[in-house]
Amino acid sequence: MDKPEKLREIAARLTDHYGPIWRRPGGDLLDILIGTILSQNTSDLNRDRAYAELRRRFASWEEVLSAPVEEVEQAIRGAGLHRQRARRIKQVLARLWEERGELSLEFLAELPDGEAERWLLSLPGVGKKTAYIVLLFGLGRPFFPVDTHIARVTRRLGLVGENEEPHAALAPIVPRGEELGLHLYLIRLGREVCRARRPRCQACPLADLCDYVLSKLHPALRTLLRQGHPPPLLVQYEDGDTEPAHVDREGMLALAADPEVCYLEPSRKLSPKEDPG
Ligand code: SF4
């Protein structure tokens, strides 16, 4: 299975697993941009609180632009890094005012994808993730923002190489039209199942597609698994215990996905006495 095919299969399985996404692109683009600047390196809860406080204290983005930076800092304190973020927000608003004469990003809807992307990336402190969130969530354009969860999950799945930049690696293989759903599904999988420490592979609908799981198999077993001929196994557990097993393909993958199992390798043929099956 090549990477585009694998990602199509992943999108289909996650849609089955989590159900369809009803969210549709839309909303004010500048609101989305400022909300995303507030979300960088903080939790959704802190971002939401900081954004709500900013909107409560200032009636418009024009008021934020003309307010002293200290007042903006106070409003967004809850998001952390409030000095840096307040400066960023004011720089973005100032640039927009100077260049467009109004505080609106709706002109992006008239630009082709590449031009809209370049314009957003030219803003101070706006990287690919932030720019692509505005373009995908606001305008439904075919961009794929990668956050820390998506970067971790897609590396483990073998879609992004160790030294590859995730946006560059994923952009050519994300199925067109699946960007929004895949983005939301992979973040949810990363939060609930494919956690940074001790991923819950046994509960994951992608275990048989995952390089992290397959990496626990001895290389000879990977070949035999692809051929559909699982041999007797030696299972090594984290606590040092070793035991023989004779399982089918599903059983082998379930063992590989077990967090207690650290390694699987082919065993000599089991004697009838040892053979658990
Ligand atoms: S099988 Fe495990 S490592 Fe792979 S994506 Fe699922 S939870 Fe993450």
Side-chain angles (χ1 to χ4, degrees), residues 131-222:
Y132 293 179
I133 284 175
V134 174
L135 292 168
L136 176 64
F137 282 77
L139 294 173
R141 299 287 182 93
F143 288 90
F144 191 69
V146 179
D147 77 338
T148 170
H149 297 292
I150 298 179
R152 178 178 69 255
V153 175
T154 52
R155 272 194 213 289
R156 284 176 173 168
L157 285 165
L159 297 166
V160 177
E162 269 315 306
N163 300 317
E164 283 184 305
E165 195 281 312
H167 285 100
L170 292 169
I173 59 173
V174 172
R176 192 52 86 88
E178 304 272 2
E179 295 88 356
L180 186 59
L182 252 184
H183 175 85
L184 296 171
Y185 291 140
L186 287 171
I187 289 179
R188 186 162 170 195
L189 188 80
R191 284 187 175 142
E192 296 175 358
V193 180
C194 193
R195 301 173 306 202
R197 291 169 62 178
R198 289 181 75 83
R200 297 170 53 229
C201 303
Q202 280 170 308
C204 181
L206 308 177
D208 60 320
L209 299 172
C210 181
D211 281 14
Y212 175 87
V213 168
L214 292 183
S215 71
K216 288 188 175 184
L217 303 177
H218 187 283
L221 280 178
R222 279 179 233 152

Side-chain angles (χ1 to χ4, degrees), residues 214 217 221-230 249 252-253:
L214 292 183
L217 303 177
L221 280 178
R222 279 179 233 152
T223 313
L224 291 163
L225 185 73
R226 281 190 201 106
Q227 293 167 353
H229 305 300
R249 184 179 187 280
M252 189 195 285
L253 285 168

Side-chain angles (χ1 to χ4, degrees), residues 38-71:
L38 288 174
S39 77
Q40 293 162 352
N41 304 314
T42 193
S43 68
D44 289 356
L45 183 65
N46 286 345
R47 175 209 52 204
D48 290 347
R49 282 189 184 145
Y51 185 81
E53 185 59 16
L54 191 62
R55 300 315 308 254
R56 194 187 68 76
R57 290 201 196 186
F58 302 97
S60 65
W61 294 124
E62 284 77 5
E63 279 193 16
V64 175
L65 177 59
S66 53
V69 70
E70 295 76 18
E71 283 183 24

